[in-house]
Amino acid sequence: MSAALLFAFVLAGLFDRDPWKADEPYSVGMVLNFFRGNDLIVPRVAADPFVEKPPVMYWSGAIFARLTAGVLPVFQGAQLAVLAWLVVAILCVGRLAQRLYGRDTFNWLAPMLMVGSFGAIENIHKLTADIPQLAGAALALAALARLAKSENCARKWGLLFGTGAGIAFLSKGLLVPGVLALTALAVLMLPAYRTRRYAAALGWAMLAALPWLIVWPVLFWHASQPLFIEWFWDNNFGRFFGFVHLGGERKSYWNDVTSLLGLTFPAGWLALGAMVAQWRQAGGRRFVTERPELAMLWLYVALFVLTLVVSSAIRDIYMLSLFPAIAVLGAGVRLPSWLEKAWSGVALVLMSVLGLFLWVRWGLQLTGNGHVAAGPIGKWLPLDYVLPFSPGLVLAAVVIAGLWVGAIVRRRELGALVFGFAGLMFVWGTLSTLLLPWINEARSYRTPFAALHDALAKVPRATSPAASACIGSFNVGESERGMLDYFIDVRPVQLPSLADASRCGVLLVLDKANARITVPEGWDPIWQGGRAGDTNERFRAFVPSAVK
């Protein structure tokens, strides 16, 4: 049953929706360009290079999209790559926990903690570069743990360690491979790793990592040296040290602490509890000598957190590659009987109430009574939206509810932590099935860009066909440009200033709530709109007065 609970949670919210901000829209833009075969080396969003991240997520997404092109839209096909990378991470984490805690069967609790902690719940369902990075980190940590024991093959596990680090590098750059390299050196403090066999394993690891570290960067360098420098220097070192500002800047160290404590619950909290118990039981010296794998995971955690602390840029999603380690560490906890009962009791009541509330909310939105008992929901979702009845989503929600009922019946057999995850699966799964079209309407660009497409179709052809076909954009980011390309096959030209607007026959601007853009004279509006419930963004489209 544990496997069914885990994969029901992973699958819920992964498909049958559009790309959502943040990160997914521009990711889909790059997948779309690779899918078309326009340029297999330089990542692009719409017509423009976008080199914040290496391409392994977008390559793999394009491959799955191509394989399923006859039956699935590009985004839905690309999400299969997300699922594949998650399966890799789940297998690595579950097998590592099984080995560390001496169980005969696969340890399902560890991957449950990895995907079910607060900071991972939504992020693991999104098409972002952090997903293969997560899988690479999980593979590398599983291999590095195996190298603590002399009976394990140095070549095999060294190659797997290097492969995991290489995947992480080609997913998002230097952060995780750098922490893995520091961890591989720091474990030399542990007697189990101070061996010739471990030194040989590191040699094999470097050999395995080289193709990931060299092939694409060399091809990228030959394709465009300025873009390579922008990626390697600005987006790795510049973002880290703060001499370029690309978003995600730190608000305060206190905010970092509260985010770390909140987003790592429950895996991080359980890991700390397990460490305290193991330390008391074995003592510091015995813990290091008898459990070197656990000590290695703690070194990784400490180095990862320290790296985030000294970095000038931080976002919640950056913590995702921390979860394989703390999930394995947390899976070793033994809850006292009073906490076991309390955890199960709270999960039973809280998750049941939340899940039933979502069913009631579905009924209200289905019947057009969205304003009834809405509370603060209207801040994020359009209350006047009437949910369409989807038999497939309702059936999926019924299956999820059935799994929750089954978990309630078997809650003593499952244990409090697995049962608590089952409750999370019930709430997340119900939200991501019954209410998915509603959430999608608020977070997707499909509806507003379809309206923009209709408005553009009514614009008369200008005297210059080239100018008429050109759409200039100002203040429109990579996410929005990616969705223009994906939904309506429009690849706007980025305008450095509004003085250059005359280059094109259509001008598209994006206003923010605190800064409305003043359009030059001689342009007439033909459309304005935005996502339902979004009070921050507003698009406006214009044509020259003579054309209208």
Side-chain angles (χ1 to χ4, degrees):
M1 185 174 189
S2 294
L5 293 171
L6 177 59
F7 284 100
F9 177 84
V10 169
L11 290 172
L14 199 60
F15 301 103
D16 203 25
R17 62 174 180 84
D18 295 324
W20 294 345
K21 286 185 72 173
D23 300 311
E24 270 192 326
Y26 69 75
S27 297
V28 174
M30 287 183 277
V31 168
L32 192 60
N33 272 286
F34 288 136
F35 174 83
R36 292 168 176 159
N38 294 340
D39 187 341
L40 299 180
I41 302 302
V42 180
R44 296 178 183 273
V45 174
D48 306 303
F50 186 72
V51 295
E52 278 194 7
K53 301 170 182 70
V56 77
M57 180 70 254
Y58 319 120
W59 281 344
S60 57
I63 290 171
F64 276 92
R66 176 63 66 184
L67 292 173
T68 58
V71 293
L72 292 175
V74 171
F75 174 61
Q76 305 298 326
Q79 285 290 78
L80 289 171
V82 175
L83 179 60
W85 288 116
L86 286 175
V87 169
V88 171
I90 287 169
L91 292 175
C92 291
V93 168
R95 291 284 292 176
L96 176 57
Q98 176 188 351
R99 181 179 178 277
L100 290 182
Y101 302 123
R103 298 180 182 177
D104 296 330
T105 59
F106 187 83
N107 187 305
W108 292 103
L109 176 59
M112 286 177 178
L113 293 174
M114 178 179 69
V115 302
S117 292
F118 288 172
I121 293 172
E122 181 182 7
N123 287 326
I124 61 106
H125 291 90
K126 297 171 71 174
L127 197 159
T128 66
D130 298 85
I131 301 302
Q133 181 179 246
L134 171 73
L139 176 60
L141 290 172
L144 192 57
R146 288 294 187 110
L147 291 170
K149 299 296 184 182
S150 59
E151 64 268 19
N152 294 321
C153 176
R155 181 174 61 181
K156 173 184 176 181
W157 297 107
L159 289 172
L160 288 175
F161 175 68
T163 301
I167 291 171
F169 169 78
L170 209 55
S171 300
K172 207 173 178 182
L174 294 174
L175 173 63
V176 170
V179 175
L180 287 170
L182 290 174
T183 305
L185 295 176
V187 294
L188 292 173
M189 296 186 298
L190 308 175
Y193 287 93
R194 290 201 298 268
T195 64
R196 291 184 178 180
R197 187 185 58 84
Y198 179 66
L202 291 184
W204 288 111
M206 293 181 64
L207 185 65
L210 282 178
W212 302 90
L213 300 176
I214 292 178
V215 175
W216 175 75
V218 169
L219 293 174
F220 190 16
W221 171 266
H222 283 291
S224 175
Q225 294 181 18
L227 289 176
F228 176 88
I229 294 171
E230 179 185 343
W231 162 70
F232 184 74
W233 187 249
D234 292 350
N235 284 285
N236 284 279
F237 296 98
R239 188 187 294 268
F240 184 86
F241 291 108
F243 56 78
V244 296
H245 300 281
L246 300 171
E249 281 78 7
R250 165 175 284 106
K251 296 179 181 178
S252 68
Y253 285 104
W254 174 247
N255 185 71
D256 292 351
V257 172
T258 55
S259 294
L260 187 65
L261 290 174
L263 296 174
T264 58
F265 180 85
W269 296 31
L270 294 172
L272 289 172
M275 184 184 68
V276 170
Q278 292 160 356
W279 199 274
R280 287 178 176 177
Q281 182 179 0
R285 185 178 297 274
R286 286 184 59 194
F287 177 78
V288 169
T289 57
E290 295 180 5
R291 307 306 302 271
E293 302 98 327
L294 298 181
M296 178 275 296
L297 291 173
W298 276 114
L299 283 172
Y300 173 82
V301 170
L303 289 168
F304 196 102
V305 172
L306 180 62
T307 302
L308 291 181
V309 168
V310 300
S311 171
S312 66
I314 187 169
R315 289 177 56 200
D316 295 347
I317 198 171
Y318 294 174
M319 299 180 190
L320 200 58
S321 293
L322 182 65
F323 287 100
I326 61 175
V328 173
L329 293 167
V333 75
R334 295 293 179 268
L335 297 180
S337 58
W338 67 269
L339 185 54
E340 183 94 5
K341 293 178 181 179
W343 197 296
S344 293
V346 170
L348 175 62
V349 175
L350 179 62
M351 299 305 183
S352 296
V353 169
L354 289 175
L356 290 174
F357 168 77
L358 294 175
W359 274 92
V360 172
R361 192 76 241 164
W362 170 74
L364 292 172
Q365 295 299 141
L366 190 70
T367 57
N369 295 298
H371 290 274
V372 176
I377 297 175
K379 293 181 180 179
W380 304 283
L381 298 171
L383 297 177
D384 56 353
Y385 180 76
V386 179
L387 267 170
F389 182 81
S390 172
L393 291 177
V394 172
L395 178 61
V398 170
V399 170
I400 286 168
L403 286 173
W404 174 232
V405 172
I408 292 174
V409 173
R410 300 176 58 183
R411 62 184 181 275
R412 292 185 179 178
E413 176 186 342
L414 294 174
L417 296 177
V418 174
F419 179 66
F421 178 83
L424 177 65
M425 181 278 306
F426 176 49
V427 174
W428 172 262
T430 304
L431 179 69
S432 301
T433 51
L434 290 181
L435 301 180
L436 185 62
W438 186 25
I439 300 171
N440 193 61
E441 181 67 17
R443 302 189 67 177
S444 169
Y445 287 100
R446 180 182 295 273
T447 299
F449 286 170
L452 171 61
H453 183 263
D454 292 342
L456 293 175
K458 299 175 182 177
V459 175
R461 299 287 290 182
T463 54
S464 169
S468 179
C470 169
I471 297 178
S473 67
F474 183 75
N475 200 40
V476 178
E478 60 274 356
S479 292
E480 296 78 18
R481 297 198 306 275
M483 291 298 91
L484 285 165
D485 189 11
Y486 182 66
F487 285 126
I488 61 175
D489 197 28
V490 166
R491 289 169 285 282
V493 176
Q494 292 189 74
L495 301 176
S497 70
L498 286 173
D500 301 300
S502 58
R503 292 166 49 188
C504 294
V506 177
L507 172 63
L508 180 68
V509 301
L510 175 57
D511 298 317
K512 300 292 186 177
N514 57 353
R516 183 179 174 89
I517 294 170
T518 302
V519 176
E521 294 184 1
W523 291 89
D524 291 335
I526 59 168
W527 172 82
Q528 65 174 346
R531 293 180 296 174
D534 188 343
T535 58
N536 182 51
E537 293 180 349
R538 204 70 181 169
F539 295 90
R540 291 182 292 151
F542 301 83
V543 295
S545 302
V547 173
K548 186 178 178 183

Short mmCIF file of all heavy atoms in Angstrom, two decimals, residues 91-134:
data_model
loop_
_atom_site.label_atom_id
_atom_site.label_comp_id
_atom_site.label_asym_id
_atom_site.label_seq_id
_atom_site.Cartn_x
_atom_site.Cartn_y
_atom_site.Cartn_z
N LEU A 91 14.01 5.71 -6.03
CA LEU A 91 14.71 4.43 -5.93
C LEU A 91 16.03 4.57 -5.16
O LEU A 91 16.35 3.74 -4.30
CB LEU A 91 14.97 3.86 -7.32
CG LEU A 91 13.73 3.40 -8.10
CD1 LEU A 91 14.12 2.96 -9.50
CD2 LEU A 91 13.01 2.28 -7.37
N CYS A 92 16.77 5.63 -5.44
CA CYS A 92 18.06 5.84 -4.76
C CYS A 92 17.86 6.06 -3.26
O CYS A 92 18.55 5.46 -2.43
CB CYS A 92 18.80 7.02 -5.38
SG CYS A 92 19.40 6.73 -7.05
N VAL A 93 16.92 6.92 -2.92
CA VAL A 93 16.69 7.25 -1.51
C VAL A 93 16.11 6.06 -0.76
O VAL A 93 16.54 5.74 0.37
CB VAL A 93 15.76 8.48 -1.42
CG1 VAL A 93 15.25 8.67 0.00
CG2 VAL A 93 16.49 9.73 -1.89
N GLY A 94 15.15 5.37 -1.35
CA GLY A 94 14.55 4.22 -0.68
C GLY A 94 15.54 3.09 -0.47
O GLY A 94 15.58 2.46 0.60
N ARG A 95 16.36 2.81 -1.49
CA ARG A 95 17.35 1.74 -1.35
C ARG A 95 18.43 2.12 -0.33
O ARG A 95 18.89 1.25 0.44
CB ARG A 95 17.99 1.47 -2.71
CG ARG A 95 17.07 0.82 -3.70
CD ARG A 95 16.86 -0.64 -3.44
NE ARG A 95 18.08 -1.41 -3.68
CZ ARG A 95 18.20 -2.71 -3.45
NH1 ARG A 95 17.17 -3.39 -2.98
NH2 ARG A 95 19.34 -3.34 -3.69
N LEU A 96 18.85 3.37 -0.31
CA LEU A 96 19.85 3.79 0.67
C LEU A 96 19.32 3.64 2.09
O LEU A 96 20.00 3.11 2.97
CB LEU A 96 20.27 5.24 0.40
CG LEU A 96 21.25 5.86 1.40
CD1 LEU A 96 22.53 5.03 1.51
CD2 LEU A 96 21.59 7.30 1.01
N ALA A 97 18.09 4.09 2.32
CA ALA A 97 17.49 3.97 3.65
C ALA A 97 17.32 2.50 4.03
O ALA A 97 17.52 2.12 5.20
CB ALA A 97 16.15 4.69 3.69
N GLN A 98 16.94 1.66 3.08
CA GLN A 98 16.79 0.22 3.35
C GLN A 98 18.11 -0.36 3.83
O GLN A 98 18.16 -1.13 4.80
CB GLN A 98 16.32 -0.50 2.09
CG GLN A 98 16.23 -2.01 2.23
CD GLN A 98 15.95 -2.69 0.91
OE1 GLN A 98 15.65 -2.04 -0.09
NE2 GLN A 98 16.04 -4.01 0.88
N ARG A 99 19.18 0.02 3.16
CA ARG A 99 20.49 -0.53 3.52
C ARG A 99 20.96 0.00 4.88
O ARG A 99 21.51 -0.75 5.69
CB ARG A 99 21.51 -0.18 2.44
CG ARG A 99 22.89 -0.72 2.72
CD ARG A 99 23.86 -0.36 1.60
NE ARG A 99 25.19 -0.86 1.91
CZ ARG A 99 26.05 -0.23 2.69
NH1 ARG A 99 25.73 0.93 3.24
NH2 ARG A 99 27.25 -0.75 2.92
N LEU A 100 20.74 1.26 5.14
CA LEU A 100 21.24 1.86 6.38
C LEU A 100 20.51 1.34 7.61
O LEU A 100 21.10 1.21 8.68
CB LEU A 100 21.13 3.38 6.31
CG LEU A 100 22.07 4.10 5.34
CD1 LEU A 100 21.86 5.59 5.41
CD2 LEU A 100 23.52 3.76 5.65
N TYR A 101 19.23 1.04 7.44
CA TYR A 101 18.43 0.66 8.62
C TYR A 101 18.09 -0.81 8.66
O TYR A 101 17.24 -1.24 9.42
CB TYR A 101 17.17 1.53 8.67
CG TYR A 101 17.52 3.01 8.71
CD1 TYR A 101 17.04 3.90 7.75
CD2 TYR A 101 18.37 3.51 9.69
CE1 TYR A 101 17.38 5.24 7.77
CE2 TYR A 101 18.71 4.86 9.71
CZ TYR A 101 18.22 5.72 8.76
OH TYR A 101 18.56 7.04 8.78
N GLY A 102 18.75 -1.60 7.80
CA GLY A 102 18.71 -3.04 7.92
C GLY A 102 17.37 -3.70 7.70
O GLY A 102 17.04 -4.68 8.36
N ARG A 103 16.58 -3.18 6.77
CA ARG A 103 15.29 -3.79 6.48
C ARG A 103 15.39 -4.70 5.26
O ARG A 103 16.22 -4.51 4.39
CB ARG A 103 14.24 -2.71 6.25
CG ARG A 103 14.02 -1.82 7.48
CD ARG A 103 12.99 -0.75 7.22
NE ARG A 103 12.82 0.12 8.37
CZ ARG A 103 12.02 1.18 8.40
NH1 ARG A 103 11.33 1.51 7.32
NH2 ARG A 103 11.90 1.92 9.49
N ASP A 104 14.49 -5.68 5.22
CA ASP A 104 14.49 -6.63 4.11
C ASP A 104 13.75 -6.09 2.89
O ASP A 104 13.94 -6.58 1.78
CB ASP A 104 13.85 -7.95 4.55
CG ASP A 104 14.66 -8.63 5.64
OD1 ASP A 104 15.89 -8.46 5.66
OD2 ASP A 104 14.06 -9.33 6.48
N THR A 105 12.87 -5.13 3.09
CA THR A 105 12.07 -4.59 1.99
C THR A 105 12.43 -3.13 1.75
O THR A 105 13.04 -2.47 2.59
CB THR A 105 10.57 -4.71 2.30
OG1 THR A 105 10.28 -3.99 3.52
CG2 THR A 105 10.16 -6.17 2.47
N PHE A 106 12.03 -2.66 0.59
CA PHE A 106 12.29 -1.27 0.19
C PHE A 106 11.72 -0.31 1.24
O PHE A 106 10.60 -0.48 1.73
CB PHE A 106 11.63 -1.02 -1.16
CG PHE A 106 11.95 0.31 -1.78
CD1 PHE A 106 13.12 0.49 -2.50
CD2 PHE A 106 11.08 1.38 -1.65
CE1 PHE A 106 13.41 1.72 -3.08
CE2 PHE A 106 11.36 2.60 -2.21
CZ PHE A 106 12.53 2.77 -2.93
N ASN A 107 12.52 0.69 1.61
CA ASN A 107 12.10 1.66 2.62
C ASN A 107 11.29 2.76 1.93
O ASN A 107 11.85 3.65 1.29
CB ASN A 107 13.34 2.25 3.32
CG ASN A 107 12.97 3.13 4.48
OD1 ASN A 107 12.21 4.08 4.35
ND2 ASN A 107 13.53 2.82 5.65
N TRP A 108 9.97 2.71 2.07
CA TRP A 108 9.10 3.69 1.43
C TRP A 108 9.03 4.99 2.21
O TRP A 108 8.69 6.04 1.65
CB TRP A 108 7.69 3.11 1.26
CG TRP A 108 7.64 1.99 0.28
CD1 TRP A 108 7.57 0.66 0.55
CD2 TRP A 108 7.70 2.11 -1.15
NE1 TRP A 108 7.57 -0.07 -0.60
CE2 TRP A 108 7.64 0.78 -1.67
CE3 TRP A 108 7.79 3.18 -2.03
CZ2 TRP A 108 7.67 0.53 -3.04
CZ3 TRP A 108 7.82 2.92 -3.40
CH2 TRP A 108 7.77 1.61 -3.89
N LEU A 109 9.35 4.94 3.50
CA LEU A 109 9.23 6.15 4.32
C LEU A 109 10.19 7.24 3.85
O LEU A 109 9.82 8.42 3.79
CB LEU A 109 9.48 5.82 5.79
CG LEU A 109 9.47 7.02 6.75
CD1 LEU A 109 8.14 7.76 6.70
CD2 LEU A 109 9.78 6.55 8.18
N ALA A 110 11.43 6.88 3.51
CA ALA A 110 12.42 7.89 3.12
C ALA A 110 11.98 8.68 1.90
O ALA A 110 11.98 9.93 1.93
CB ALA A 110 13.77 7.23 2.89
N PRO A 111 11.56 8.05 0.79
CA PRO A 111 11.08 8.87 -0.33
C PRO A 111 9.80 9.62 -0.01
O PRO A 111 9.56 10.70 -0.57
CB PRO A 111 10.87 7.86 -1.47
CG PRO A 111 10.89 6.53 -0.84
CD PRO A 111 11.70 6.64 0.40
N MET A 112 8.97 9.09 0.89
CA MET A 112 7.79 9.85 1.31
C MET A 112 8.19 11.14 1.99
O MET A 112 7.60 12.20 1.75
CB MET A 112 6.93 9.00 2.26
CG MET A 112 6.15 7.90 1.59
SD MET A 112 5.23 6.92 2.80
CE MET A 112 4.37 5.76 1.72
N LEU A 113 9.20 11.06 2.87
CA LEU A 113 9.68 12.27 3.53
C LEU A 113 10.33 13.22 2.53
O LEU A 113 10.22 14.45 2.68
CB LEU A 113 10.68 11.90 4.63
CG LEU A 113 10.13 11.13 5.83
CD1 LEU A 113 11.26 10.71 6.77
CD2 LEU A 113 9.10 11.96 6.58
N MET A 114 10.98 12.68 1.52
CA MET A 114 11.65 13.53 0.53
C MET A 114 10.64 14.34 -0.27
O MET A 114 10.82 15.55 -0.46
CB MET A 114 12.48 12.66 -0.42
CG MET A 114 13.17 13.43 -1.54
SD MET A 114 14.17 12.39 -2.63
CE MET A 114 12.88 11.44 -3.46
N VAL A 115 9.57 13.71 -0.75
CA VAL A 115 8.62 14.43 -1.60
C VAL A 115 7.50 15.08 -0.79
O VAL A 115 6.80 15.96 -1.30
CB VAL A 115 8.01 13.49 -2.66
CG1 VAL A 115 9.09 12.89 -3.53
CG2 VAL A 115 7.15 12.39 -2.03
N GLY A 116 7.31 14.65 0.47
CA GLY A 116 6.19 15.14 1.25
C GLY A 116 6.52 16.21 2.25
O GLY A 116 5.63 16.64 3.01
N SER A 117 7.77 16.69 2.29
CA SER A 117 8.10 17.82 3.15
C SER A 117 7.58 19.11 2.51
O SER A 117 7.43 19.19 1.29
CB SER A 117 9.61 17.90 3.38
OG SER A 117 10.05 16.79 4.16
N PHE A 118 7.32 20.10 3.33
CA PHE A 118 6.63 21.31 2.85
C PHE A 118 7.32 21.96 1.66
O PHE A 118 6.66 22.45 0.74
CB PHE A 118 6.50 22.31 4.00
CG PHE A 118 5.49 21.92 5.05
CD1 PHE A 118 5.38 22.64 6.22
CD2 PHE A 118 4.65 20.83 4.86
CE1 PHE A 118 4.44 22.29 7.19
CE2 PHE A 118 3.72 20.47 5.82
CZ PHE A 118 3.62 21.20 6.99
N GLY A 119 8.65 21.99 1.66
CA GLY A 119 9.36 22.66 0.60
C GLY A 119 9.43 21.89 -0.71
O GLY A 119 9.89 22.41 -1.72
N ALA A 120 8.97 20.63 -0.68
CA ALA A 120 9.06 19.79 -1.88
C ALA A 120 7.70 19.51 -2.51
O ALA A 120 7.65 19.13 -3.68
CB ALA A 120 9.74 18.46 -1.52
N ILE A 121 6.62 19.67 -1.78
CA ILE A 121 5.30 19.19 -2.22
C ILE A 121 4.95 19.71 -3.60
O ILE A 121 4.62 18.93 -4.51
CB ILE A 121 4.23 19.60 -1.20
CG1 ILE A 121 4.44 18.86 0.12
CG2 ILE A 121 2.83 19.30 -1.75
CD1 ILE A 121 3.53 19.34 1.25
N GLU A 122 5.00 21.00 -3.81
CA GLU A 122 4.66 21.55 -5.13
C GLU A 122 5.85 21.46 -6.09
O GLU A 122 5.68 21.13 -7.27
CB GLU A 122 4.21 23.00 -5.02
CG GLU A 122 3.82 23.59 -6.36
CD GLU A 122 3.42 25.06 -6.30
OE1 GLU A 122 3.57 25.68 -5.23
OE2 GLU A 122 2.96 25.58 -7.33
N ASN A 123 7.05 21.71 -5.59
CA ASN A 123 8.21 21.81 -6.48
C ASN A 123 8.53 20.51 -7.20
O ASN A 123 9.03 20.53 -8.33
CB ASN A 123 9.43 22.28 -5.69
CG ASN A 123 9.35 23.75 -5.33
OD1 ASN A 123 8.82 24.56 -6.09
ND2 ASN A 123 9.86 24.12 -4.16
N ILE A 124 8.27 19.36 -6.58
CA ILE A 124 8.61 18.10 -7.25
C ILE A 124 7.64 17.79 -8.38
O ILE A 124 7.89 16.88 -9.19
CB ILE A 124 8.69 16.93 -6.26
CG1 ILE A 124 7.35 16.68 -5.56
CG2 ILE A 124 9.80 17.14 -5.26
CD1 ILE A 124 6.62 15.47 -6.04
N HIS A 125 6.53 18.51 -8.49
CA HIS A 125 5.57 18.28 -9.55
C HIS A 125 5.79 19.20 -10.75
O HIS A 125 5.04 19.13 -11.73
CB HIS A 125 4.14 18.49 -9.03
CG HIS A 125 3.70 17.44 -8.06
ND1 HIS A 125 3.90 17.55 -6.70
CD2 HIS A 125 3.08 16.25 -8.25
CE1 HIS A 125 3.42 16.48 -6.10
NE2 HIS A 125 2.92 15.68 -7.01
N LYS A 126 6.80 20.04 -10.72
CA LYS A 126 6.96 21.05 -11.75
C LYS A 126 8.15 20.75 -12.64
O LYS A 126 9.17 20.22 -12.19
CB LYS A 126 7.12 22.43 -11.10
CG LYS A 126 5.89 22.86 -10.30
CD LYS A 126 6.13 24.10 -9.49
CE LYS A 126 6.25 25.33 -10.35
NZ LYS A 126 6.35 26.56 -9.54
N LEU A 127 8.02 21.12 -13.90
CA LEU A 127 9.08 20.91 -14.88
C LEU A 127 10.13 22.00 -14.70
O LEU A 127 10.03 23.08 -15.27
CB LEU A 127 8.50 20.94 -16.30
CG LEU A 127 9.37 20.36 -17.43
CD1 LEU A 127 8.49 19.99 -18.62
CD2 LEU A 127 10.45 21.32 -17.88
N THR A 128 11.11 21.71 -13.87
CA THR A 128 12.20 22.65 -13.60
C THR A 128 13.53 21.91 -13.61
O THR A 128 13.59 20.68 -13.49
CB THR A 128 12.04 23.34 -12.23
OG1 THR A 128 12.18 22.35 -11.20
CG2 THR A 128 10.68 24.01 -12.11
N ALA A 129 14.60 22.66 -13.72
CA ALA A 129 15.94 22.07 -13.71
C ALA A 129 16.28 21.44 -12.38
O ALA A 129 17.21 20.63 -12.29
CB ALA A 129 16.97 23.15 -14.05
N ASP A 130 15.55 21.77 -11.32
CA ASP A 130 15.84 21.23 -10.00
C ASP A 130 15.48 19.75 -9.87
O ASP A 130 15.96 19.09 -8.95
CB ASP A 130 15.09 22.04 -8.94
CG ASP A 130 15.53 23.49 -8.92
OD1 ASP A 130 15.00 24.28 -9.71
OD2 ASP A 130 16.42 23.82 -8.12
N ILE A 131 14.63 19.23 -10.77
CA ILE A 131 14.21 17.83 -10.64
C ILE A 131 15.34 16.87 -11.01
O ILE A 131 15.68 15.98 -10.22
CB ILE A 131 12.94 17.58 -11.47
CG1 ILE A 131 11.81 18.50 -11.00
CG2 ILE A 131 12.52 16.13 -11.37
CD1 ILE A 131 11.44 18.35 -9.54
N PRO A 132 15.97 16.97 -12.19
CA PRO A 132 17.13 16.10 -12.43
C PRO A 132 18.29 16.38 -11.48
O PRO A 132 19.07 15.48 -11.16
CB PRO A 132 17.51 16.39 -13.88
CG PRO A 132 16.87 17.69 -14.21
CD PRO A 132 15.64 17.78 -13.37
N GLN A 133 18.41 17.62 -11.01
CA GLN A 133 19.43 17.92 -10.00
C GLN A 133 19.16 17.13 -8.73
O GLN A 133 20.08 16.59 -8.10
CB GLN A 133 19.47 19.41 -9.70
CG GLN A 133 20.53 19.80 -8.68
CD GLN A 133 20.56 21.29 -8.41
OE1 GLN A 133 21.54 21.97 -8.73
NE2 GLN A 133 19.51 21.82 -7.83
N LEU A 134 17.89 17.04 -8.34
CA LEU A 134 17.49 16.23 -7.19
C LEU A 134 17.87 14.77 -7.40
O LEU A 134 18.42 14.11 -6.51
CB LEU A 134 15.98 16.37 -6.98
CG LEU A 134 15.31 15.43 -5.96
CD1 LEU A 134 15.67 15.85 -4.55
CD2 LEU A 134 13.80 15.43 -6.14
#
